[in-house]
Amino acid sequence: MWRLTLLQRLILAMSIVAFVAIGASVVFLYIRFQASNDTFREETLSTFAEDLRRELAVDPKLSSSRATTAKARIRALHGQYAVLGRDGRIIDSSGLQESLIPYIGDRAQYFELPPHDDQKTLFGISIPIALPGSAGAIQVAFPKTHVTFDSVLEEFVRDIAWIWIPFVMVLLATNIAVLGFALRPLRKAAQEAAQIGPSSIATRLTESGMPNDVLALVKSVNAALDRLQGGFLSLERFSGQLAHELRTPLAIAKTRLSLSQDQIARAVERDFEDVERVITQLVDRVRVRTLHYEAADIVDLGGVATDVARYLAPMIVGAGRNIELKIENGPVLVSGAKDFIFRALRNLVENALHHSPENGMITITVFNVGISVADQGPGFTKGRLSEEVGLLGKTDREDGLGLGLSIVGETMAAHDGRIVLANLPSGGAVATMAF
């Protein structure tokens, strides 16, 4: 299942917040300007109506230059006006035959008239004249597009959008870059942690330069690695002590049995040899989990193969089998842990010995990319050839615990290599340690 990284989650959260902020800002600006729009409209209408009322107080016929100017301003903005008498009769107007709305007495009122006869929507005000000796009302109305600043609002929002949205995008990109820089120590720690394995249990995460909140996590991980390393070392010491304690009585028992000429004793001696081999493999299986080497550790595969052949030759010859060593192209050098490669190759040869027929030949071949061990036994089963090598509990051939190939598989994985199993056309099996 695909999961978002911490950086991706932060980017997603910040993007959501940014777009919500943009949306909230647009809604706020619209509501705020709409309220200002209504206030401005009402104040504009009141101003024009009050101007006419003041002029009416000094000039009942509205014939003065100031009154004429006020009426001309209303017409210039495509507005309409009407001065009503007590009975609702029009005293003066912008050409209206009747009042904009019915006369309502001494109460001021804002009104809106729907469009009709090519006339746009009108928004107006009706205020009482309330002058001594006079009664009636003054009504003034303008098309909304002229009285209000809707166009100003739209233009402002459009201009703000062209500035605000890129600004938010730049701010978001800047925050993402800052987040990436801030999370770089965490990514570094993650990369270091990914490199830690059984072969590098002594490696620790870098603590220098870490932020305090990340440093707490790094220290906790390092403390956990310390405990794991202690457990590995304790297990390795225990396995070594266990092997020593078991091998000693086995060696004594084998020595006593070798002095006997009884066939049953000989059979029991061979059983003891199998038990000793299993114990050795168990110890090797534990030790391979602590495999560690440096890049400067160079191993000559030809030298390792020679050592293994020399070490196991007496056992192979004593068991009635033969061994040969082939080194095809001079020294073959690889970076690795010599002791662990020795144990892995020893397990392959011992496995070949265990499955070789009487007088069978075991061949160790060193070539430019690895070492192969071939025998003349029954070969690997089809199921074994299709399995991933290195799993405990899988058998090597028809019998056994499967520890030998498991040890080799883990050793090769720690060396960035692999073990390849195959059957020879002429019969027998071949296992290759490919580096």
Side-chain angles (χ1 to χ4, degrees), residues 17 32 50 134 148 183 186 188 211 226 243 262 301 313 354 384 409 431:
V17 170
R32 181 70 182 87
E50 289 292 339
S134 300
T148 67
L183 292 177
L186 193 59
K188 178 182 177 182
D226 289 338
D262 187 30
L301 296 184
H354 186 70
R384 187 51 167 159

Side-chain angles (χ1 to χ4, degrees), residues 17 50 73 100 145-147 193 206 225 246 285 338 379 407 414:
V17 170
E50 289 292 339
R73 288 174 58 200
L100 294 170
T145 54
H146 293 288
V147 175
T206 303
L225 292 174
L246 290 175
R285 178 63 185 268
K338 181 178 180 180
I407 293 168

Side-chain angles (χ1 to χ4, degrees), residues 287-298:
R287 287 176 175 172
V288 76
R289 295 183 179 275
T290 62
L291 192 159
H292 177 71
Y293 64 92
E294 301 296 336
D297 295 337
I298 303 300

Side-chain angles (χ1 to χ4, degrees), residues 21-38:
I22 292 174
S25 299
V26 171
V27 172
F28 171 78
L29 288 174
Y30 180 81
I31 294 174
R32 181 70 182 87
F33 275 91
Q34 190 64 42
S36 299
N37 191 11
D38 294 340

